[in-house]
């Protein structure tokens, strides 16, 4: 398993909030749902994505945009259109006066807006990831606030399929929509990671390194193994000093520190499983006992595994995410060269 595959398995849609919006100008919606990640694409018409800080960006039919939360943003037909609708954390829609229009503006299955089915000068598809896994956060935390993959690279067939499936009410429909949303997401992520100068994290760039790439794959394929720098160096055919130096230069941290972070990320996901115990999780990620995992977990995360699982750390996690989003956001529109390299 390559490094990217392991991380892309994290942001897996499970019952994601997916909706088709039919809109007539002037329209503007304030998104305050605090979702960690949203995917937006236009089927007809155009829209502006307006973060509170950073560059605004226009999306046209076939473009696919990722918007990283939890900071609020506005989506509108024009940058100057006043906000008319607010979307809250529970995906309830209300006017500025507080009137709930979630039900009154329903047009059918997963369809909302003005007019009748098939009408609306703008048709927008949106999908919201409610809670990416810890593995997903490791990847998503590196994203700019907005990433746009232009229509020339996006899979038009996939978008058309999502548009047709979104209003159907068949057995297993939620699963179908979740997987279509995942495919759109992965397409944008791969293009972003491959784009020159995109700010992709060191672990992605390291995959093509002849020394660090094989070492990373070993760590990801068997994180529970008792890896040492000496063994990694032996398996990759270089000296211990060369591997340690090269790994730190490319990835940004030494091999053992990277392995610790990866193990604790896996542990955080496993702790959410109902039947998992701290002891079983410890064995699965390479710690000899529940005590050893608890010590490492609390040192890095600031809470014990039990506190993390019970939700005591939920507020701290949300606060940390909000603080990260309060920095100057970045907007990235991928170029043709980046699309081709992806």
């Amino acid at each position: 398993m390559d490094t990217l595959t392991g991380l892309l398995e994290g942001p897996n849609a499970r019952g994601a909030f997916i909706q088709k919006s039919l809109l007539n100008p002037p329209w503007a919606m304030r998104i305050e749902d605090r979702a960690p990640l949203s995917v937006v694409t236009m089927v007809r018409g155009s829209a502006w994505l307006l973060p509170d800080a950073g560059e605004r960006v226009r999306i046209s039919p076939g473009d696919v945009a990722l918007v990283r939360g939890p900071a609020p943003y506005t989506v509108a037909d024009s940058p100057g259109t006043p906000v008319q609708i607010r979307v809250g954390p529970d995906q309830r829609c209300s006017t500025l006066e507080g009137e709930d229009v979630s039900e009154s503006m329903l047009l059918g299955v997963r369809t909302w807006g003005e007019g009748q089915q098939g009408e609306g000068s703008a048709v927008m598809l949106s999908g919201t990831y409610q809670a990416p896994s810890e593995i997903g956060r490791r990847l998503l935390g590196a994203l700019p606030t907005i990433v746009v993959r232009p229509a020339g690279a996006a899979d038009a067939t996939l978008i058309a399929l999502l548009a047709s499936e979104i209003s159907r009410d068949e057995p297993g429909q939620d699963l179908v929509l979740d997987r279509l949303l995942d495919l759109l997401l992965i397409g944008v992520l791969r293009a972003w990671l491959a784009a020159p100068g995109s700010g992709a994290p060191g672990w992605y760039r390291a995959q093509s390194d002849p020394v660090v790439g094989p070492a990373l794959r070993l760590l990801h394929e068997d994180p529970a193994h008792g890896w040492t720098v000496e063994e990694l160096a032996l398996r990759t055919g270089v000296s211990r000093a060369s591997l340690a130096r090269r790994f730190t230069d490319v990835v940004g941290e030494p091999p053992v520190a990277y392995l610790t972070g990866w193990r604790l990320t896996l542990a955080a996901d496993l702790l959410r499983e109902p039947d998992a115990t701290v002891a079983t999780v410890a064995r699965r990620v390479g710690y000899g006992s529940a005590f050893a995992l608890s010590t490492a977990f609390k040192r890095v995360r600031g809470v014990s595994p039990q506190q993390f699982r019970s939700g005591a750390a939920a507020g701290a996690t949300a606060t940390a995410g909000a603080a990260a989003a309060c920095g100057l956001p970045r907007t990235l529109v991928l170029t043709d060269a980046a699309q081709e390299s992806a």
Side-chain angles (χ1 to χ4, degrees):
M1 177 178 65
D2 64 76
T3 310
L4 180 58
T5 298
L7 288 160
L8 287 179
E9 286 180 343
N12 238 347
R14 294 181 180 88
F17 184 83
I18 301 176
Q19 180 172 274
K20 177 191 294 184
S21 299
L22 309 181
L23 303 158
N24 290 310
W27 60 270
M29 295 184 290
R30 176 74 171 168
I31 312 300
E32 300 176 343
D33 59 6
R34 297 190 60 79
L37 182 71
S38 296
V39 181
V40 180
T41 186
M42 301 301 295
V43 175
R44 183 165 68 238
S46 62
W48 285 87
L49 296 173
L50 309 165
D52 285 0
E55 299 176 13
R56 62 194 186 188
V57 60
R58 184 175 184 268
I59 55 173
S60 300
D63 296 348
V64 181
L66 305 185
V67 184
R68 177 177 57 80
Y73 63 97
T74 299
V75 56
D77 67 320
S78 171
T81 300
V83 171
Q84 300 148 348
I85 299 292
R86 284 196 178 101
V87 181
D90 55 357
Q91 299 298 332
R92 305 297 294 180
C93 301
S94 61
T95 65
L96 297 187
E97 292 74 29
E99 178 188 359
D100 191 328
V101 294
S102 303
E103 303 296 332
S104 62
M105 295 186 70
L106 276 178
L107 301 176
V109 178
R110 302 183 193 86
T111 304
W112 184 92
E114 304 167 328
Q116 302 296 319
Q117 280 276 22
E119 296 182 359
S121 62
V123 178
M124 179 174 67
L125 308 180
S126 56
T128 300
Y129 286 79
Q130 306 289 348
S133 70
E134 291 297 312
I135 297 176
R137 291 181 193 278
R138 189 178 178 95
L139 172 60
L140 300 181
L143 276 174
T145 300
I146 298 175
V147 181
V148 178
R149 188 184 189 200
D155 189 339
T157 302
L158 184 59
I159 294 172
L161 182 58
L162 179 61
S164 66
E165 290 284 341
I166 204 169
S167 301
R168 299 181 66 181
D169 192 14
E170 304 287 342
Q173 195 66 19
D174 286 344
L175 181 61
V176 170
L177 294 173
D178 284 349
R179 297 295 78 79
L180 289 173
L181 186 65
D182 285 342
L183 289 171
L184 281 176
L185 169 65
I186 289 170
V188 181
L189 288 175
R190 289 174 63 184
W192 167 67
L193 289 166
S198 67
W203 55 257
Y204 178 80
R205 298 192 302 271
Q207 291 185 106
S208 59
D209 188 275
V211 174
V212 181
L216 273 175
R217 284 189 287 275
L218 288 170
L219 297 179
H220 277 252
E221 287 169 359
D222 191 4
H225 182 73
W227 294 108
T228 63
V229 178
E230 288 83 357
E231 183 177 0
L232 284 171
L234 180 64
R235 296 280 294 273
T236 54
V238 297
S239 70
R240 179 188 181 282
S242 295
L243 175 63
R245 181 173 57 253
R246 183 65 181 167
F247 197 105
T248 303
D249 288 345
V250 176
V251 178
E253 58 184 335
V256 174
Y258 180 88
L259 176 60
T260 298
W262 180 239
R263 283 173 168 172
L264 295 180
T265 297
L266 293 171
D269 272 346
L270 292 171
L271 286 166
R272 291 191 172 98
E273 296 180 1
D275 299 329
T277 66
V278 177
T280 59
V281 170
R283 289 193 295 270
R284 290 177 65 179
V285 301
Y287 287 89
S289 67
F291 177 78
L293 173 60
S294 297
T295 301
F297 201 95
K298 189 165 187 177
R299 183 181 69 250
V300 174
R301 299 257 175 168
V303 294
S304 70
Q306 292 89 342
Q307 289 173 317
F308 179 85
R309 192 210 305 246
S310 67
T317 302
T319 301
C326 289
L328 182 62
R330 293 179 295 143
T331 300
L332 177 63
V333 179
L334 299 172
T335 64
D336 291 340
Q339 298 162 23
E340 291 169 2
S341 64

